[in-house]
PDB file of all heavy atoms in Angstrom:
ATOM      1  N   ILE Y   6     118.309  52.354 120.224  1.00  0.00           N
ATOM      2  CA  ILE Y   6     118.856  51.236 119.456  1.00  0.00           C
ATOM      3  C   ILE Y   6     119.609  50.309 120.393  1.00  0.00           C
ATOM      4  O   ILE Y   6     120.376  50.769 121.251  1.00  0.00           O
ATOM      5  CB  ILE Y   6     119.802  51.741 118.351  1.00  0.00           C
ATOM      6  CG1 ILE Y   6     119.043  52.615 117.354  1.00  0.00           C
ATOM      7  CG2 ILE Y   6     120.481  50.567 117.637  1.00  0.00           C
ATOM      8  CD1 ILE Y   6     119.927  53.308 116.335  1.00  0.00           C
ATOM      9  N   VAL Y  20     109.594  42.646 111.739  1.00  0.00           N
ATOM     10  CA  VAL Y  20     110.157  43.780 111.011  1.00  0.00           C
ATOM     11  C   VAL Y  20     110.623  43.345 109.626  1.00  0.00           C
ATOM     12  O   VAL Y  20     110.375  44.031 108.627  1.00  0.00           O
ATOM     13  CB  VAL Y  20     111.292  44.454 111.808  1.00  0.00           C
ATOM     14  CG1 VAL Y  20     111.969  45.541 110.994  1.00  0.00           C
ATOM     15  CG2 VAL Y  20     110.756  45.028 113.120  1.00  0.00           C
ATOM     16  N   LEU Y  21     111.277  42.188 109.541  1.00  0.00           N
ATOM     17  CA  LEU Y  21     111.715  41.681 108.235  1.00  0.00           C
ATOM     18  C   LEU Y  21     110.520  41.416 107.320  1.00  0.00           C
ATOM     19  O   LEU Y  21     110.584  41.687 106.117  1.00  0.00           O
ATOM     20  CB  LEU Y  21     112.541  40.400 108.400  1.00  0.00           C
ATOM     21  CG  LEU Y  21     113.927  40.566 109.006  1.00  0.00           C
ATOM     22  CD1 LEU Y  21     114.544  39.195 109.285  1.00  0.00           C
ATOM     23  CD2 LEU Y  21     114.825  41.408 108.125  1.00  0.00           C
ATOM     24  N   LEU Y  24     109.360  44.715 105.939  1.00  0.00           N
ATOM     25  CA  LEU Y  24     110.265  45.133 104.876  1.00  0.00           C
ATOM     26  C   LEU Y  24     110.001  44.347 103.596  1.00  0.00           C
ATOM     27  O   LEU Y  24     109.887  44.932 102.517  1.00  0.00           O
ATOM     28  CB  LEU Y  24     111.721  44.951 105.314  1.00  0.00           C
ATOM     29  CG  LEU Y  24     112.793  45.160 104.243  1.00  0.00           C
ATOM     30  CD1 LEU Y  24     112.740  46.575 103.677  1.00  0.00           C
ATOM     31  CD2 LEU Y  24     114.171  44.850 104.800  1.00  0.00           C
ATOM     32  N   ALA Y  25     109.886  43.032 103.711  1.00  0.00           N
ATOM     33  CA  ALA Y  25     109.657  42.191 102.528  1.00  0.00           C
ATOM     34  C   ALA Y  25     108.376  42.600 101.807  1.00  0.00           C
ATOM     35  O   ALA Y  25     108.359  42.700 100.579  1.00  0.00           O
ATOM     36  CB  ALA Y  25     109.594  40.720 102.930  1.00  0.00           C
ATOM     37  N   GLU Y  27     106.903  45.539 101.955  1.00  0.00           N
ATOM     38  CA  GLU Y  27     107.053  46.900 101.432  1.00  0.00           C
ATOM     39  C   GLU Y  27     107.804  46.923 100.105  1.00  0.00           C
ATOM     40  O   GLU Y  27     107.494  47.724  99.228  1.00  0.00           O
ATOM     41  CB  GLU Y  27     107.774  47.778 102.464  1.00  0.00           C
ATOM     42  CG  GLU Y  27     107.802  49.232 102.083  1.00  0.00           C
ATOM     43  CD  GLU Y  27     108.356  50.105 103.201  1.00  0.00           C
ATOM     44  OE1 GLU Y  27     107.819  50.054 104.328  1.00  0.00           O
ATOM     45  OE2 GLU Y  27     109.333  50.835 102.933  1.00  0.00           O
ATOM     46  N   ILE Y  28     108.788  46.041  99.947  1.00  0.00           N
ATOM     47  CA  ILE Y  28     109.587  46.056  98.715  1.00  0.00           C
ATOM     48  C   ILE Y  28     109.096  45.039  97.684  1.00  0.00           C
ATOM     49  O   ILE Y  28     109.731  44.844  96.649  1.00  0.00           O
ATOM     50  CB  ILE Y  28     111.090  45.852  99.002  1.00  0.00           C
ATOM     51  CG1 ILE Y  28     111.362  44.481  99.622  1.00  0.00           C
ATOM     52  CG2 ILE Y  28     111.634  46.976  99.863  1.00  0.00           C
ATOM     53  CD1 ILE Y  28     112.841  44.154  99.788  1.00  0.00           C
ATOM     54  N   MET Y  55     120.540  44.750 114.939  1.00  0.00           N
ATOM     55  CA  MET Y  55     120.310  45.900 115.800  1.00  0.00           C
ATOM     56  C   MET Y  55     118.843  46.281 115.624  1.00  0.00           C
ATOM     57  O   MET Y  55     118.347  46.347 114.495  1.00  0.00           O
ATOM     58  CB  MET Y  55     121.192  47.089 115.402  1.00  0.00           C
ATOM     59  CG  MET Y  55     122.653  46.912 115.689  1.00  0.00           C
ATOM     60  SD  MET Y  55     122.968  46.932 117.470  1.00  0.00           S
ATOM     61  CE  MET Y  55     124.671  46.389 117.484  1.00  0.00           C
ATOM     62  N   VAL Y  64     110.745  50.172 115.475  1.00  0.00           N
ATOM     63  CA  VAL Y  64     110.664  51.124 114.356  1.00  0.00           C
ATOM     64  C   VAL Y  64     111.843  51.000 113.398  1.00  0.00           C
ATOM     65  O   VAL Y  64     111.906  51.724 112.410  1.00  0.00           O
ATOM     66  CB  VAL Y  64     110.544  52.587 114.855  1.00  0.00           C
ATOM     67  CG1 VAL Y  64     109.221  52.804 115.569  1.00  0.00           C
ATOM     68  CG2 VAL Y  64     111.728  52.968 115.733  1.00  0.00           C
ATOM     69  N   GLY Y  65     112.770  50.078 113.680  1.00  0.00           N
ATOM     70  CA  GLY Y  65     113.906  49.938 112.778  1.00  0.00           C
ATOM     71  C   GLY Y  65     114.717  48.696 113.054  1.00  0.00           C
ATOM     72  O   GLY Y  65     114.654  48.120 114.147  1.00  0.00           O
ATOM     73  N   LEU Y  66     115.483  48.298 112.030  1.00  0.00           N
ATOM     74  CA  LEU Y  66     116.305  47.095 112.115  1.00  0.00           C
ATOM     75  C   LEU Y  66     117.472  47.204 111.154  1.00  0.00           C
ATOM     76  O   LEU Y  66     117.323  47.691 110.031  1.00  0.00           O
ATOM     77  CB  LEU Y  66     115.465  45.870 111.717  1.00  0.00           C
ATOM     78  CG  LEU Y  66     116.228  44.583 111.416  1.00  0.00           C
ATOM     79  CD1 LEU Y  66     116.481  43.807 112.698  1.00  0.00           C
ATOM     80  CD2 LEU Y  66     115.446  43.722 110.452  1.00  0.00           C
ATOM     81  N   ALA Y  67     118.628  46.752 111.604  1.00  0.00           N
ATOM     82  CA  ALA Y  67     119.771  46.496 110.727  1.00  0.00           C
ATOM     83  C   ALA Y  67     120.177  45.053 110.975  1.00  0.00           C
ATOM     84  O   ALA Y  67     120.472  44.677 112.109  1.00  0.00           O
ATOM     85  CB  ALA Y  67     120.934  47.434 111.027  1.00  0.00           C
ATOM     86  N   LEU Y  68     120.136  44.228 109.935  1.00  0.00           N
ATOM     87  CA  LEU Y  68     120.542  42.830 110.028  1.00  0.00           C
ATOM     88  C   LEU Y  68     121.807  42.685 109.190  1.00  0.00           C
ATOM     89  O   LEU Y  68     121.832  43.093 108.031  1.00  0.00           O
ATOM     90  CB  LEU Y  68     119.432  41.915 109.510  1.00  0.00           C
ATOM     91  CG  LEU Y  68     119.676  40.427 109.751  1.00  0.00           C
ATOM     92  CD1 LEU Y  68     118.370  39.746 110.123  1.00  0.00           C
ATOM     93  CD2 LEU Y  68     120.283  39.776 108.541  1.00  0.00           C
ATOM     94  N   TYR Y  69     122.862  42.111 109.774  1.00  0.00           N
ATOM     95  CA  TYR Y  69     124.170  42.111 109.131  1.00  0.00           C
ATOM     96  C   TYR Y  69     124.991  40.899 109.540  1.00  0.00           C
ATOM     97  O   TYR Y  69     124.634  40.175 110.475  1.00  0.00           O
ATOM     98  CB  TYR Y  69     124.928  43.398 109.465  1.00  0.00           C
ATOM     99  CG  TYR Y  69     125.101  43.629 110.961  1.00  0.00           C
ATOM    100  CD1 TYR Y  69     126.296  43.332 111.593  1.00  0.00           C
ATOM    101  CD2 TYR Y  69     124.062  44.135 111.736  1.00  0.00           C
ATOM    102  CE1 TYR Y  69     126.461  43.532 112.952  1.00  0.00           C
ATOM    103  CE2 TYR Y  69     124.219  44.350 113.092  1.00  0.00           C
ATOM    104  CZ  TYR Y  69     125.420  44.038 113.701  1.00  0.00           C
ATOM    105  OH  TYR Y  69     125.575  44.226 115.054  1.00  0.00           O
ATOM    106  N   TYR Y  83     128.406  43.091 106.080  1.00  0.00           N
ATOM    107  CA  TYR Y  83     127.440  43.212 105.003  1.00  0.00           C
ATOM    108  C   TYR Y  83     126.086  43.452 105.638  1.00  0.00           C
ATOM    109  O   TYR Y  83     125.630  42.665 106.465  1.00  0.00           O
ATOM    110  CB  TYR Y  83     127.396  41.943 104.150  1.00  0.00           C
ATOM    111  CG  TYR Y  83     126.471  42.096 102.963  1.00  0.00           C
ATOM    112  CD1 TYR Y  83     126.931  42.654 101.773  1.00  0.00           C
ATOM    113  CD2 TYR Y  83     125.135  41.732 103.040  1.00  0.00           C
ATOM    114  CE1 TYR Y  83     126.079  42.827 100.693  1.00  0.00           C
ATOM    115  CE2 TYR Y  83     124.282  41.902 101.961  1.00  0.00           C
ATOM    116  CZ  TYR Y  83     124.754  42.450 100.792  1.00  0.00           C
ATOM    117  OH  TYR Y  83     123.921  42.637  99.729  1.00  0.00           O
ATOM    118  N   ILE Y  84     125.449  44.552 105.262  1.00  0.00           N
ATOM    119  CA  ILE Y  84     124.102  44.850 105.725  1.00  0.00           C
ATOM    120  C   ILE Y  84     123.134  44.127 104.793  1.00  0.00           C
ATOM    121  O   ILE Y  84     122.998  44.497 103.631  1.00  0.00           O
ATOM    122  CB  ILE Y  84     123.814  46.368 105.721  1.00  0.00           C
ATOM    123  CG1 ILE Y  84     124.793  47.122 106.624  1.00  0.00           C
ATOM    124  CG2 ILE Y  84     122.362  46.636 106.099  1.00  0.00           C
ATOM    125  CD1 ILE Y  84     124.597  46.920 108.105  1.00  0.00           C
ATOM    126  N   GLN Y  85     122.506  43.098 105.296  1.00  0.00           N
ATOM    127  CA  GLN Y  85     121.540  42.357 104.498  1.00  0.00           C
ATOM    128  C   GLN Y  85     120.217  43.108 104.413  1.00  0.00           C
ATOM    129  O   GLN Y  85     119.608  43.176 103.354  1.00  0.00           O
ATOM    130  CB  GLN Y  85     121.313  40.967 105.111  1.00  0.00           C
ATOM    131  CG  GLN Y  85     120.286  40.133 104.384  1.00  0.00           C
ATOM    132  CD  GLN Y  85     120.737  39.762 102.981  1.00  0.00           C
ATOM    133  OE1 GLN Y  85     121.905  39.465 102.758  1.00  0.00           O
ATOM    134  NE2 GLN Y  85     119.820  39.770 102.033  1.00  0.00           N
ATOM    135  N   ASP Y  86     119.799  43.658 105.552  1.00  0.00           N
ATOM    136  CA  ASP Y  86     118.523  44.372 105.601  1.00  0.00           C
ATOM    137  C   ASP Y  86     118.649  45.593 106.497  1.00  0.00           C
ATOM    138  O   ASP Y  86     119.189  45.507 107.605  1.00  0.00           O
ATOM    139  CB  ASP Y  86     117.419  43.464 106.172  1.00  0.00           C
ATOM    140  CG  ASP Y  86     117.134  42.279 105.282  1.00  0.00           C
ATOM    141  OD1 ASP Y  86     116.650  42.507 104.152  1.00  0.00           O
ATOM    142  OD2 ASP Y  86     117.394  41.142 105.706  1.00  0.00           O
ATOM    143  N   LEU Y  87     118.152  46.713 105.996  1.00  0.00           N
ATOM    144  CA  LEU Y  87     118.046  47.934 106.780  1.00  0.00           C
ATOM    145  C   LEU Y  87     116.619  48.430 106.610  1.00  0.00           C
ATOM    146  O   LEU Y  87     116.159  48.606 105.476  1.00  0.00           O
ATOM    147  CB  LEU Y  87     119.026  49.004 106.286  1.00  0.00           C
ATOM    148  CG  LEU Y  87     118.963  50.337 107.038  1.00  0.00           C
ATOM    149  CD1 LEU Y  87     119.415  50.185 108.489  1.00  0.00           C
ATOM    150  CD2 LEU Y  87     119.806  51.388 106.321  1.00  0.00           C
ATOM    151  N   TYR Y  88     115.925  48.620 107.729  1.00  0.00           N
ATOM    152  CA  TYR Y  88     114.530  49.036 107.656  1.00  0.00           C
ATOM    153  C   TYR Y  88     114.253  50.085 108.724  1.00  0.00           C
ATOM    154  O   TYR Y  88     114.652  49.932 109.877  1.00  0.00           O
ATOM    155  CB  TYR Y  88     113.599  47.845 107.871  1.00  0.00           C
ATOM    156  CG  TYR Y  88     112.137  48.225 107.821  1.00  0.00           C
ATOM    157  CD1 TYR Y  88     111.525  48.509 106.612  1.00  0.00           C
ATOM    158  CD2 TYR Y  88     111.385  48.304 108.973  1.00  0.00           C
ATOM    159  CE1 TYR Y  88     110.189  48.865 106.545  1.00  0.00           C
ATOM    160  CE2 TYR Y  88     110.043  48.653 108.926  1.00  0.00           C
ATOM    161  CZ  TYR Y  88     109.448  48.932 107.714  1.00  0.00           C
ATOM    162  OH  TYR Y  88     108.130  49.288 107.653  1.00  0.00           O
ATOM    163  N   VAL Y  89     113.557  51.124 108.302  1.00  0.00           N
ATOM    164  CA  VAL Y  89     113.045  52.139 109.214  1.00  0.00           C
ATOM    165  C   VAL Y  89     111.565  52.301 108.898  1.00  0.00           C
ATOM    166  O   VAL Y  89     111.196  52.509 107.733  1.00  0.00           O
ATOM    167  CB  VAL Y  89     113.796  53.484 109.059  1.00  0.00           C
ATOM    168  CG1 VAL Y  89     113.151  54.567 109.908  1.00  0.00           C
ATOM    169  CG2 VAL Y  89     115.276  53.313 109.419  1.00  0.00           C
ATOM    170  N   ALA Y  90     110.734  52.168 109.916  1.00  0.00           N
ATOM    171  CA  ALA Y  90     109.290  52.317 109.729  1.00  0.00           C
ATOM    172  C   ALA Y  90     108.991  53.701 109.168  1.00  0.00           C
ATOM    173  O   ALA Y  90     109.682  54.680 109.485  1.00  0.00           O
ATOM    174  CB  ALA Y  90     108.560  52.114 111.051  1.00  0.00           C
ATOM    175  N   ARG Y  94     110.978  57.688 109.571  1.00  0.00           N
ATOM    176  CA  ARG Y  94     111.918  58.077 108.523  1.00  0.00           C
ATOM    177  C   ARG Y  94     112.185  59.580 108.531  1.00  0.00           C
ATOM    178  O   ARG Y  94     111.339  60.361 108.930  1.00  0.00           O
ATOM    179  CB  ARG Y  94     111.394  57.646 107.151  1.00  0.00           C
ATOM    180  CG  ARG Y  94     111.367  56.150 107.007  1.00  0.00           C
ATOM    181  CD  ARG Y  94     110.807  55.678 105.700  1.00  0.00           C
ATOM    182  NE  ARG Y  94     110.671  54.220 105.747  1.00  0.00           N
ATOM    183  CZ  ARG Y  94     109.947  53.514 104.923  1.00  0.00           C
ATOM    184  NH1 ARG Y  94     109.305  54.106 103.928  1.00  0.00           N
ATOM    185  NH2 ARG Y  94     109.870  52.212 105.060  1.00  0.00           N
ATOM    186  N   GLY Y  97     117.160  60.464 110.813  1.00  0.00           N
ATOM    187  CA  GLY Y  97     118.514  59.966 111.029  1.00  0.00           C
ATOM    188  C   GLY Y  97     118.597  58.560 111.600  1.00  0.00           C
ATOM    189  O   GLY Y  97     119.688  58.078 111.897  1.00  0.00           O
ATOM    190  N   LEU Y  98     117.458  57.880 111.756  1.00  0.00           N
ATOM    191  CA  LEU Y  98     117.488  56.549 112.354  1.00  0.00           C
ATOM    192  C   LEU Y  98     118.219  55.539 111.477  1.00  0.00           C
ATOM    193  O   LEU Y  98     118.956  54.686 111.987  1.00  0.00           O
ATOM    194  CB  LEU Y  98     116.066  56.064 112.673  1.00  0.00           C
ATOM    195  CG  LEU Y  98     115.968  54.711 113.359  1.00  0.00           C
ATOM    196  CD1 LEU Y  98     116.786  54.668 114.643  1.00  0.00           C
ATOM    197  CD2 LEU Y  98     114.507  54.370 113.628  1.00  0.00           C
ATOM    198  N   GLY Y  99     118.065  55.595 110.175  1.00  0.00           N
ATOM    199  CA  GLY Y  99     118.784  54.679 109.289  1.00  0.00           C
ATOM    200  C   GLY Y  99     120.286  54.811 109.458  1.00  0.00           C
ATOM    201  O   GLY Y  99     121.004  53.808 109.575  1.00  0.00           O
ATOM    202  N   ARG Y 100     120.769  56.044 109.509  1.00  0.00           N
ATOM    203  CA  ARG Y 100     122.206  56.284 109.723  1.00  0.00           C
ATOM    204  C   ARG Y 100     122.629  55.751 111.080  1.00  0.00           C
ATOM    205  O   ARG Y 100     123.678  55.110 111.222  1.00  0.00           O
ATOM    206  CB  ARG Y 100     122.520  57.780 109.632  1.00  0.00           C
ATOM    207  CG  ARG Y 100     123.988  58.101 109.914  1.00  0.00           C
ATOM    208  CD  ARG Y 100     124.224  59.592 110.115  1.00  0.00           C
ATOM    209  NE  ARG Y 100     123.282  60.255 110.985  1.00  0.00           N
ATOM    210  CZ  ARG Y 100     123.300  60.201 112.330  1.00  0.00           C
ATOM    211  NH1 ARG Y 100     124.216  59.478 112.960  1.00  0.00           N
ATOM    212  NH2 ARG Y 100     122.404  60.852 113.046  1.00  0.00           N
ATOM    213  N   ARG Y 101     121.818  55.974 112.097  1.00  0.00           N
ATOM    214  CA  ARG Y 101     122.159  55.501 113.448  1.00  0.00           C
ATOM    215  C   ARG Y 101     122.194  53.977 113.516  1.00  0.00           C
ATOM    216  O   ARG Y 101     123.039  53.400 114.208  1.00  0.00           O
ATOM    217  CB  ARG Y 101     121.178  56.067 114.464  1.00  0.00           C
ATOM    218  CG  ARG Y 101     121.366  57.573 114.684  1.00  0.00           C
ATOM    219  CD  ARG Y 101     120.368  58.159 115.678  1.00  0.00           C
ATOM    220  NE  ARG Y 101     120.351  57.410 116.924  1.00  0.00           N
ATOM    221  CZ  ARG Y 101     119.238  57.130 117.616  1.00  0.00           C
ATOM    222  NH1 ARG Y 101     118.050  57.531 117.183  1.00  0.00           N
ATOM    223  NH2 ARG Y 101     119.305  56.443 118.740  1.00  0.00           N
ATOM    224  N   LEU Y 102     121.290  53.296 112.802  1.00  0.00           N
ATOM    225  CA  LEU Y 102     121.311  51.834 112.771  1.00  0.00           C
ATOM    226  C   LEU Y 102     122.570  51.323 112.081  1.00  0.00           C
ATOM    227  O   LEU Y 102     123.216  50.375 112.558  1.00  0.00           O
ATOM    228  CB  LEU Y 102     120.059  51.296 112.070  1.00  0.00           C
ATOM    229  CG  LEU Y 102     118.786  51.287 112.898  1.00  0.00           C
ATOM    230  CD1 LEU Y 102     117.553  51.172 112.016  1.00  0.00           C
ATOM    231  CD2 LEU Y 102     118.825  50.161 113.930  1.00  0.00           C
ATOM    232  N   LEU Y 103     122.939  51.940 110.957  1.00  0.00           N
ATOM    233  CA  LEU Y 103     124.179  51.561 110.278  1.00  0.00           C
ATOM    234  C   LEU Y 103     125.381  51.785 111.186  1.00  0.00           C
ATOM    235  O   LEU Y 103     126.298  50.961 111.254  1.00  0.00           O
ATOM    236  CB  LEU Y 103     124.346  52.350 108.985  1.00  0.00           C
ATOM    237  CG  LEU Y 103     123.392  52.013 107.845  1.00  0.00           C
ATOM    238  CD1 LEU Y 103     123.570  52.998 106.693  1.00  0.00           C
ATOM    239  CD2 LEU Y 103     123.595  50.583 107.366  1.00  0.00           C
ATOM    240  N   GLN Y 104     125.378  52.902 111.888  1.00  0.00           N
ATOM    241  CA  GLN Y 104     126.468  53.245 112.796  1.00  0.00           C
ATOM    242  C   GLN Y 104     126.574  52.215 113.928  1.00  0.00           C
ATOM    243  O   GLN Y 104     127.677  51.764 114.265  1.00  0.00           O
ATOM    244  CB  GLN Y 104     126.230  54.639 113.359  1.00  0.00           C
ATOM    245  CG  GLN Y 104     127.352  55.209 114.163  1.00  0.00           C
ATOM    246  CD  GLN Y 104     127.027  56.636 114.584  1.00  0.00           C
ATOM    247  OE1 GLN Y 104     125.914  56.931 115.014  1.00  0.00           O
ATOM    248  NE2 GLN Y 104     128.000  57.513 114.438  1.00  0.00           N
ATOM    249  N   ALA Y 106     125.565  49.070 113.898  1.00  0.00           N
ATOM    250  CA  ALA Y 106     126.057  47.814 113.330  1.00  0.00           C
ATOM    251  C   ALA Y 106     127.557  47.907 113.068  1.00  0.00           C
ATOM    252  O   ALA Y 106     128.312  46.974 113.377  1.00  0.00           O
ATOM    253  CB  ALA Y 106     125.297  47.488 112.035  1.00  0.00           C
ATOM    254  N   LEU Y 119     131.992  48.530 105.160  1.00  0.00           N
ATOM    255  CA  LEU Y 119     130.601  48.088 105.155  1.00  0.00           C
ATOM    256  C   LEU Y 119     130.129  48.000 103.714  1.00  0.00           C
ATOM    257  O   LEU Y 119     130.414  48.887 102.918  1.00  0.00           O
ATOM    258  CB  LEU Y 119     129.765  49.111 105.935  1.00  0.00           C
ATOM    259  CG  LEU Y 119     128.295  48.846 106.178  1.00  0.00           C
ATOM    260  CD1 LEU Y 119     127.838  49.633 107.390  1.00  0.00           C
ATOM    261  CD2 LEU Y 119     127.425  49.172 105.004  1.00  0.00           C
ATOM    262  N   LEU Y 121     126.671  46.826 101.157  1.00  0.00           N
ATOM    263  CA  LEU Y 121     125.253  46.499 101.074  1.00  0.00           C
ATOM    264  C   LEU Y 121     124.835  46.567  99.622  1.00  0.00           C
ATOM    265  O   LEU Y 121     125.593  46.999  98.762  1.00  0.00           O
ATOM    266  CB  LEU Y 121     124.391  47.425 101.949  1.00  0.00           C
ATOM    267  CG  LEU Y 121     124.540  48.945 101.798  1.00  0.00           C
ATOM    268  CD1 LEU Y 121     123.873  49.475 100.555  1.00  0.00           C
ATOM    269  CD2 LEU Y 121     123.955  49.621 103.011  1.00  0.00           C
ATOM    270  N   THR Y 122     123.635  46.119  99.349  1.00  0.00           N
ATOM    271  CA  THR Y 122     123.064  46.183  98.011  1.00  0.00           C
ATOM    272  C   THR Y 122     121.812  47.031  98.080  1.00  0.00           C
ATOM    273  O   THR Y 122     121.028  46.911  99.017  1.00  0.00           O
ATOM    274  CB  THR Y 122     122.723  44.767  97.495  1.00  0.00           C
ATOM    275  OG1 THR Y 122     123.915  43.985  97.493  1.00  0.00           O
ATOM    276  CG2 THR Y 122     122.144  44.812  96.096  1.00  0.00           C
ATOM    277  N   ASN Y 127     115.012  51.939  93.572  1.00  0.00           N
ATOM    278  CA  ASN Y 127     114.693  52.622  94.820  1.00  0.00           C
ATOM    279  C   ASN Y 127     115.526  53.904  94.923  1.00  0.00           C
ATOM    280  O   ASN Y 127     116.572  53.939  95.569  1.00  0.00           O
ATOM    281  CB  ASN Y 127     114.941  51.697  96.013  1.00  0.00           C
ATOM    282  CG  ASN Y 127     114.404  52.251  97.309  1.00  0.00           C
ATOM    283  OD1 ASN Y 127     114.183  53.455  97.442  1.00  0.00           O
ATOM    284  ND2 ASN Y 127     114.207  51.372  98.272  1.00  0.00           N
ATOM    285  N   ALA Y 130     116.352  55.267  98.461  1.00  0.00           N
ATOM    286  CA  ALA Y 130     117.420  54.529  99.146  1.00  0.00           C
ATOM    287  C   ALA Y 130     118.778  54.869  98.547  1.00  0.00           C
ATOM    288  O   ALA Y 130     119.750  55.084  99.277  1.00  0.00           O
ATOM    289  CB  ALA Y 130     117.154  53.025  99.067  1.00  0.00           C
ATOM    290  N   PHE Y 133     119.790  58.206  99.852  1.00  0.00           N
ATOM    291  CA  PHE Y 133     120.149  58.088 101.270  1.00  0.00           C
ATOM    292  C   PHE Y 133     121.582  57.574 101.411  1.00  0.00           C
ATOM    293  O   PHE Y 133     122.403  58.172 102.116  1.00  0.00           O
ATOM    294  CB  PHE Y 133     119.160  57.160 101.983  1.00  0.00           C
ATOM    295  CG  PHE Y 133     119.607  56.693 103.335  1.00  0.00           C
ATOM    296  CD1 PHE Y 133     119.608  57.559 104.419  1.00  0.00           C
ATOM    297  CD2 PHE Y 133     120.024  55.387 103.534  1.00  0.00           C
ATOM    298  CE1 PHE Y 133     120.023  57.132 105.680  1.00  0.00           C
ATOM    299  CE2 PHE Y 133     120.436  54.946 104.780  1.00  0.00           C
ATOM    300  CZ  PHE Y 133     120.437  55.821 105.854  1.00  0.00           C
ATOM    301  N   TYR Y 134     121.894  56.471 100.732  1.00  0.00           N
ATOM    302  CA  TYR Y 134     123.227  55.884 100.859  1.00  0.00           C
ATOM    303  C   TYR Y 134     124.302  56.800 100.279  1.00  0.00           C
ATOM    304  O   TYR Y 134     125.380  56.940 100.853  1.00  0.00           O
ATOM    305  CB  TYR Y 134     123.269  54.501 100.190  1.00  0.00           C
ATOM    306  CG  TYR Y 134     122.423  53.489 100.917  1.00  0.00           C
ATOM    307  CD1 TYR Y 134     121.426  52.784 100.252  1.00  0.00           C
ATOM    308  CD2 TYR Y 134     122.603  53.232 102.269  1.00  0.00           C
ATOM    309  CE1 TYR Y 134     120.639  51.851 100.917  1.00  0.00           C
ATOM    310  CE2 TYR Y 134     121.822  52.317 102.938  1.00  0.00           C
ATOM    311  CZ  TYR Y 134     120.841  51.623 102.266  1.00  0.00           C
ATOM    312  OH  TYR Y 134     120.068  50.708 102.931  1.00  0.00           O
ATOM    313  N   LEU Y 137     125.356  59.450 102.644  1.00  0.00           N
ATOM    314  CA  LEU Y 137     126.228  58.940 103.698  1.00  0.00           C
ATOM    315  C   LEU Y 137     127.641  58.653 103.202  1.00  0.00           C
ATOM    316  O   LEU Y 137     128.516  58.322 103.992  1.00  0.00           O
ATOM    317  CB  LEU Y 137     125.635  57.669 104.311  1.00  0.00           C
ATOM    318  CG  LEU Y 137     124.340  57.840 105.094  1.00  0.00           C
ATOM    319  CD1 LEU Y 137     123.849  56.487 105.601  1.00  0.00           C
ATOM    320  CD2 LEU Y 137     124.519  58.815 106.251  1.00  0.00           C
ATOM    321  N   PHE Y 139     128.305  56.360 100.564  1.00  0.00           N
ATOM    322  CA  PHE Y 139     128.406  55.080  99.868  1.00  0.00           C
ATOM    323  C   PHE Y 139     128.691  55.322  98.393  1.00  0.00           C
ATOM    324  O   PHE Y 139     128.181  56.268  97.800  1.00  0.00           O
ATOM    325  CB  PHE Y 139     127.100  54.279  99.983  1.00  0.00           C
ATOM    326  CG  PHE Y 139     126.930  53.569 101.294  1.00  0.00           C
ATOM    327  CD1 PHE Y 139     126.479  54.251 102.410  1.00  0.00           C
ATOM    328  CD2 PHE Y 139     127.215  52.218 101.405  1.00  0.00           C
ATOM    329  CE1 PHE Y 139     126.313  53.603 103.618  1.00  0.00           C
ATOM    330  CE2 PHE Y 139     127.050  51.558 102.605  1.00  0.00           C
ATOM    331  CZ  PHE Y 139     126.600  52.254 103.720  1.00  0.00           C
TER     332      PHE Y 139
END
Side-chain angles (χ1 to χ4, degrees):
I6 298 172
V20 174
L21 289 172
L24 172 60
E27 188 172 304
I28 63 174
M55 290 290 169
V64 294
L66 165 86
L68 188 141
Y69 57 100
Y83 184 86
I84 300 288
Q85 178 66 39
D86 295 295
L87 179 66
Y88 179 75
V89 174
R94 293 178 187 164
L98 183 55
R100 177 192 46 78
R101 289 179 52 220
L102 282 162
L103 290 173
Q104 188 176 44
L119 185 157
L121 52 76
T122 301
N127 190 339
F133 166 73
Y134 293 125
L137 293 178
F139 281 81

